[in-house]
Amino acid sequence: MSSVQVEQKSYEMPPREGISIAHFLTVADIERSARYYEKVFGARILSLGDGNAPAYLQLANIWMILNVGGGPTPDKPTVTLSVPDPDHINSFMNFRVADIQACYELWKSRGAEFITEPIPKYGEIRCYIRDPDGYIIEVGQSTDLKYG
């Protein structure tokens, strides 16, 4: 490939041209995690994989890849993938919403486990959800910040 197009008008997974971005999560059980994101957030399961293949989901404007952990591979010879320690997280997804209270009530009714209720903080109201593998998801509603 001699050039990369990153300003395309539409995105798909897998991309036929240009680039698409996916958030990869290492999970203990692919189907359990896929069903969680489907049930709680309305993600669309594109594939549950077959055997050793990962699951692919579409969630709002992102794609997600869910796969079990494992040891080093030839293309990442020093890296081991594992589910997180629930109390030591170094990255997380951030959902920006228009109505945090409505999302809190809806997602809680669908089985989301919130760490706290929505709390005002630094120009936004936010709270966090913990998924079945211990990942946290920040849910935030801006109160006085505008983007773009």
Side-chain angles (χ1 to χ4, degrees):
M1 175 182 249
S2 61
S3 67
V4 176
Q5 178 184 343
V6 295
E7 297 179 5
Q8 69 255 34
K9 302 291 184 208
S10 65
Y11 301 89
E12 57 193 346
M13 185 61 77
R16 283 186 268 178
E17 61 181 36
I19 183 173
S20 289
I21 306 295
H23 188 75
F24 182 100
L25 293 178
T26 302
V27 301
D29 182 315
I30 293 172
E31 185 166 357
R32 177 194 69 178
S33 293
R35 298 293 178 205
Y36 173 84
Y37 282 93
E38 177 185 49
K39 176 184 173 190
V40 174
F41 303 112
R44 186 167 60 110
I45 297 173
L46 304 174
S47 167
L48 277 176
D50 56 356
N52 294 326
Y56 286 84
L57 287 72
Q58 182 178 13
L59 174 58
N61 60 328
I62 68 164
W63 284 272
M64 295 177 65
I65 301 171
L66 308 176
N67 206 356
V68 294
T73 59
D75 55 342
K76 53 178 182 44
T78 63
V79 177
T80 297
L81 296 177
S82 60
V83 296
D85 172 337
D87 295 322
H88 295 93
I89 304 291
N90 64 10
S91 69
F92 53 87
M93 282 191 289
N94 182 300
F95 292 4
R96 304 311 295 175
V97 299
D99 185 341
I100 195 168
Q101 197 60 43
C103 291
Y104 175 81
E105 297 299 330
L106 175 63
W107 294 340
K108 189 173 181 176
S109 76
R110 292 178 176 175
E113 293 183 18
F114 285 84
I115 296 172
T116 67
E117 294 183 2
I119 297 172
K121 184 156 177 122
Y122 306 123
E124 67 179 351
I125 303 166
R126 70 180 190 208
C127 55
Y128 291 86
I129 297 168
R130 191 174 299 280
D131 86 354
D133 290 289
Y135 289 99
I136 62 171
I137 301 163
E138 179 181 298
V139 182
Q141 175 185 336
S142 297
T143 56
D144 58 13
L145 291 175
K146 302 290 183 217
Y147 305 100

